[in-house]
């Protein structure tokens, strides 16, 4: 899924909308083999493919609950 949704491109994403006082945020930290990692976070700002990736992850957890 990380490749499919190009999550590696998210590394370093650090955006926030300071004009919003009560909004949504996200944080992602992925550690892979070796020293490779992906870190991204945002407040009322999301990287490309965030919605699709989030839905895919949620679907995987839903399968585990069945």
């Amino acid at each position: 899924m990380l490749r499919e949704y190009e999550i590696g491109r998210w590394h370093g994403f650090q955006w926030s909308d300071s004009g919003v006082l009560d909004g949504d945020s996200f944080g992602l930290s992925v550690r892979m083999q070796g020293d490779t990692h992906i870190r991204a976070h945002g407040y009322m700002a999301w990287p490309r493919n965030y919605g699709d990736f989030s839905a895919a992850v949620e679907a995987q957890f839903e399968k585990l609950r069945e």
Side-chain angles (χ1 to χ4, degrees):
M1 285 177 34
L2 296 176
R3 286 188 187 116
E4 180 181 353
Y5 294 101
E6 300 178 329
I7 304 307
R9 293 178 179 232
W10 292 13
H11 183 66
F13 184 93
Q14 299 181 64
W15 291 95
S16 65
D17 184 341
S18 59
V20 178
L21 300 178
D22 187 20
D24 295 322
S25 63
F26 86 94
L28 177 71
S29 179
V30 178
R31 184 178 205 168
M32 296 173 281
Q33 288 181 327
D35 292 334
T36 305
H37 61 274
I38 301 166
R39 292 189 184 113
H41 61 88
Y43 174 74
M44 294 306 293
W46 297 269
R48 183 176 164 208
N49 295 330
Y50 175 83
D52 293 335
F53 177 69
S54 177
V57 169
E58 188 173 335
Q60 290 298 313
F61 279 107
E62 196 60 39
K63 287 180 183 178
L64 292 173
R65 285 184 270 228
E66 294 175 349

